[in-house]
Amino acid sequence: RSVAEVVFLQMAVALLLGLAATRPRSVASAHRRAAVRMGLFDALAESMKNDETLGKREGAGLSKEVELKTITWKGPKPDNFWEQQPVSTSQVVPGQKLADVARQSGIPIKYSCMEGHCRVCDVVVDGRRVPACVARCQKKDVTIEYFGSVAPTKAPRKQPPPLPPPPPPPFLPA
Protein backbone atom coordinates (compact mmCIF):
# COMPACT_ATOMS: atom_id res chain seq x y z
CA ARG A 1 0.00 0.00 0.00
CA SER A 2 1.07 3.50 -0.63
CA VAL A 3 1.78 6.04 2.09
CA ALA A 4 -1.25 8.07 1.04
CA GLU A 5 -3.56 5.07 1.54
CA VAL A 6 -2.14 4.36 4.98
CA VAL A 7 -2.51 8.00 6.07
CA PHE A 8 -6.08 8.06 4.68
CA LEU A 9 -7.00 4.89 6.63
CA GLN A 10 -5.49 6.31 9.82
CA MET A 11 -7.45 9.54 9.42
CA ALA A 12 -10.68 7.62 8.75
CA VAL A 13 -10.21 5.48 11.86
CA ALA A 14 -9.36 8.56 13.91
CA LEU A 15 -12.46 10.33 12.64
CA LEU A 16 -14.68 7.36 13.51
CA LEU A 17 -13.24 7.15 16.99
CA GLY A 18 -13.52 10.90 17.52
CA LEU A 19 -9.81 11.39 17.92
CA ALA A 20 -7.91 14.30 16.47
CA ALA A 21 -7.41 13.83 12.76
CA THR A 22 -3.71 14.45 13.03
CA ARG A 23 -1.06 11.86 13.70
CA PRO A 24 0.89 12.13 16.95
CA ARG A 25 4.38 13.38 16.33
CA SER A 26 5.98 10.81 18.55
CA VAL A 27 5.15 7.61 20.35
CA ALA A 28 5.63 9.33 23.71
CA SER A 29 2.98 11.96 22.94
CA ALA A 30 0.52 9.23 21.95
CA HIS A 31 1.00 7.47 25.32
CA ARG A 32 0.47 10.73 27.23
CA ARG A 33 -3.18 10.75 26.31
CA ALA A 34 -4.78 9.11 29.33
CA ALA A 35 -8.46 9.49 28.45
CA VAL A 36 -9.43 8.40 24.97
CA ARG A 37 -12.41 10.29 23.62
CA MET A 38 -14.82 8.20 21.62
CA GLY A 39 -16.77 11.03 19.96
CA LEU A 40 -20.22 9.68 19.13
CA PHE A 41 -20.03 7.00 21.82
CA ASP A 42 -19.22 9.57 24.53
CA ALA A 43 -22.31 11.53 23.53
CA LEU A 44 -24.45 8.35 23.64
CA ALA A 45 -23.11 7.43 27.08
CA GLU A 46 -23.87 10.94 28.35
CA SER A 47 -27.42 10.80 27.00
CA MET A 48 -28.10 7.46 28.69
CA LYS A 49 -27.22 8.63 32.21
CA ASN A 50 -30.04 8.71 34.74
CA ASP A 51 -31.36 12.11 35.67
CA GLU A 52 -31.84 12.35 39.45
CA THR A 53 -34.18 15.35 39.10
CA LEU A 54 -36.92 13.19 37.54
CA GLY A 55 -37.87 11.48 40.81
CA LYS A 56 -39.00 7.91 41.42
CA ARG A 57 -39.50 5.69 38.37
CA GLU A 58 -43.09 4.63 37.78
CA GLY A 59 -44.84 2.29 35.35
CA ALA A 60 -44.70 3.86 31.91
CA GLY A 61 -48.13 4.64 30.51
CA LEU A 62 -50.04 2.70 33.17
CA SER A 63 -52.60 4.61 35.22
CA LYS A 64 -52.71 1.89 37.88
CA GLU A 65 -50.77 -1.24 38.79
CA VAL A 66 -51.80 -4.36 36.85
CA GLU A 67 -53.47 -6.93 39.08
CA LEU A 68 -52.12 -10.43 38.40
CA LYS A 69 -54.35 -13.48 38.66
CA THR A 70 -53.40 -17.08 39.42
CA ILE A 71 -54.10 -20.06 37.18
CA THR A 72 -53.80 -23.50 38.76
CA TRP A 73 -53.05 -26.12 36.09
CA LYS A 74 -54.16 -29.68 36.88
CA GLY A 75 -52.83 -32.38 34.59
CA PRO A 76 -54.34 -35.74 33.70
CA LYS A 77 -54.96 -38.14 36.55
CA PRO A 78 -52.32 -40.91 36.48
CA ASP A 79 -53.26 -44.54 35.98
CA ASN A 80 -50.69 -45.67 38.53
CA PHE A 81 -51.71 -45.32 42.19
CA TRP A 82 -48.20 -44.22 43.22
CA GLU A 83 -47.94 -41.32 40.80
CA GLN A 84 -49.30 -37.88 41.58
CA GLN A 85 -51.43 -35.67 39.37
CA PRO A 86 -49.25 -32.84 37.99
CA VAL A 87 -50.26 -29.46 39.42
CA SER A 88 -48.60 -26.12 38.69
CA THR A 89 -49.50 -22.44 38.92
CA SER A 90 -48.98 -19.40 36.70
CA GLN A 91 -49.33 -15.68 37.33
CA VAL A 92 -51.18 -14.01 34.44
CA VAL A 93 -52.58 -10.68 33.33
CA PRO A 94 -56.34 -10.90 32.64
CA GLY A 95 -56.97 -10.99 28.89
CA GLN A 96 -53.81 -12.89 27.97
CA LYS A 97 -54.25 -15.75 25.50
CA LEU A 98 -54.54 -19.04 27.32
CA ALA A 99 -52.44 -20.80 24.66
CA ASP A 100 -49.55 -18.36 25.25
CA VAL A 101 -49.72 -18.81 29.03
CA ALA A 102 -49.79 -22.61 28.68
CA ARG A 103 -46.79 -22.57 26.34
CA GLN A 104 -44.78 -20.31 28.67
CA SER A 105 -45.69 -22.50 31.66
CA GLY A 106 -44.65 -25.71 29.90
CA ILE A 107 -48.16 -27.21 29.86
CA PRO A 108 -48.36 -29.94 27.15
CA ILE A 109 -51.46 -29.05 25.13
CA LYS A 110 -51.78 -30.09 21.47
CA TYR A 111 -53.17 -27.59 18.98
CA SER A 112 -54.48 -28.03 15.45
CA CYS A 113 -56.67 -25.35 13.85
CA MET A 114 -55.90 -22.43 16.22
CA GLU A 115 -59.48 -21.20 15.66
CA GLY A 116 -61.43 -23.30 18.18
CA HIS A 117 -63.22 -25.50 15.64
CA CYS A 118 -61.37 -28.83 15.95
CA ARG A 119 -61.60 -29.03 19.78
CA VAL A 120 -58.21 -30.78 20.00
CA CYS A 121 -56.95 -28.23 22.54
CA ASP A 122 -59.99 -28.31 24.86
CA VAL A 123 -59.37 -27.62 28.55
CA VAL A 124 -61.80 -27.39 31.48
CA VAL A 125 -61.83 -23.92 33.05
CA ASP A 126 -63.73 -24.00 36.36
CA GLY A 127 -66.05 -26.74 35.06
CA ARG A 128 -66.58 -25.31 31.54
CA ARG A 129 -64.94 -26.93 28.52
CA VAL A 130 -63.31 -24.34 26.22
CA PRO A 131 -60.72 -24.47 23.41
CA ALA A 132 -57.38 -23.20 24.75
CA CYS A 133 -56.31 -21.77 21.39
CA VAL A 134 -58.90 -18.96 21.44
CA ALA A 135 -59.73 -18.62 25.16
CA ARG A 136 -58.38 -15.73 27.21
CA CYS A 137 -57.46 -15.52 30.88
CA GLN A 138 -60.31 -14.44 33.13
CA LYS A 139 -60.37 -11.61 35.66
CA LYS A 140 -60.39 -14.05 38.57
CA ASP A 141 -58.26 -16.92 39.88
CA VAL A 142 -59.17 -20.13 38.04
CA THR A 143 -58.36 -23.83 37.96
CA ILE A 144 -57.73 -25.36 34.54
CA GLU A 145 -57.71 -29.09 33.89
CA TYR A 146 -55.81 -30.19 30.81
CA PHE A 147 -55.71 -33.62 29.25
CA GLY A 148 -52.03 -34.12 28.54
CA SER A 149 -50.91 -34.28 24.96
CA VAL A 150 -54.27 -35.48 23.58
CA ALA A 151 -57.71 -34.24 24.63
CA PRO A 152 -60.31 -36.93 25.28
CA THR A 153 -62.94 -37.34 22.59
CA LYS A 154 -66.66 -37.48 23.25
CA ALA A 155 -67.05 -41.03 21.98
CA PRO A 156 -64.71 -43.46 20.28
CA ARG A 157 -65.04 -43.49 16.51
CA LYS A 158 -66.60 -46.52 14.89
CA GLN A 159 -64.58 -48.32 12.28
CA PRO A 160 -66.28 -48.37 8.88
CA PRO A 161 -67.57 -51.79 7.81
CA PRO A 162 -65.24 -53.76 5.55
CA LEU A 163 -65.73 -53.45 1.82
CA PRO A 164 -67.58 -56.31 0.08
CA PRO A 165 -65.45 -58.61 -2.07
CA PRO A 166 -65.16 -57.59 -5.73
CA PRO A 167 -67.54 -59.28 -8.19
CA PRO A 168 -66.17 -62.20 -10.23
CA PRO A 169 -64.89 -61.32 -13.71
CA PRO A 170 -67.39 -61.88 -16.57
CA PHE A 171 -67.18 -65.15 -18.46
CA LEU A 172 -65.85 -64.67 -21.99
CA PRO A 173 -66.16 -67.57 -24.53
CA ALA A 174 -63.05 -68.39 -26.49
Side-chain angles (χ1 to χ4, degrees):
R1 293 186 172 180
S2 69
V3 175
E5 287 177 53
V6 172
V7 171
F8 176 77
L9 288 173
Q10 287 177 345
M11 287 176 36
V13 169
L15 230 157
L16 286 173
L17 295 177
L19 302 174
T22 60
R23 294 185 333 193
R25 293 192 176 147
S26 69
V27 175
S29 66
H31 287 291
R32 270 186 256 143
R33 290 186 187 184
V36 176
R37 295 194 39 86
M38 301 283 291
L40 171 69
F41 298 107
D42 286 333
L44 281 174
E46 186 66 29
S47 70
M48 299 295 173
K49 283 186 180 175
N50 291 333
D51 187 2
E52 287 80 23
T53 62
L54 295 176
K56 183 183 173 192
R57 184 179 80 99
E58 297 177 5
L62 299 175
S63 60
K64 63 180 182 176
E65 190 69 28
V66 175
E67 193 173 323
L68 297 177
K69 299 298 176 184
T70 302
I71 292 181
T72 304
W73 299 94
K74 289 189 175 184
K77 294 180 181 169
D79 297 330
N80 186 346
F81 175 75
W82 302 105
E83 293 179 12
Q84 292 184 352
Q85 181 180 17
V87 176
S88 64
T89 59
S90 303
Q91 295 292 318
V92 298
V93 176
Q96 265 185 292
K97 285 187 172 184
L98 205 55
D100 294 339
V101 174
R103 189 177 307 113
Q104 291 170 356
S105 301
I107 305 300
I109 298 175
K110 284 211 177 200
Y111 302 95
S112 181
C113 69
M114 296 305 285
E115 295 177 0
H117 301 298
C118 69
R119 310 298 280 195
V120 168
C121 61
D122 278 2
V123 293
V124 178
V125 180
D126 284 343
R128 281 189 49 222
R129 192 172 178 145
V130 296
C133 62
V134 294
R136 297 203 174 257
C137 296
Q138 298 180 1
K139 295 180 181 178
K140 62 179 185 172
D141 295 343
V142 294
T143 299
I144 299 178
E145 296 178 47
Y146 62 95
F147 306 108
S149 59
V150 179
T153 57
K154 293 177 183 170
R157 287 183 141 185
K158 290 183 178 179
Q159 293 292 330
L163 294 174
F171 178 73
L172 296 173

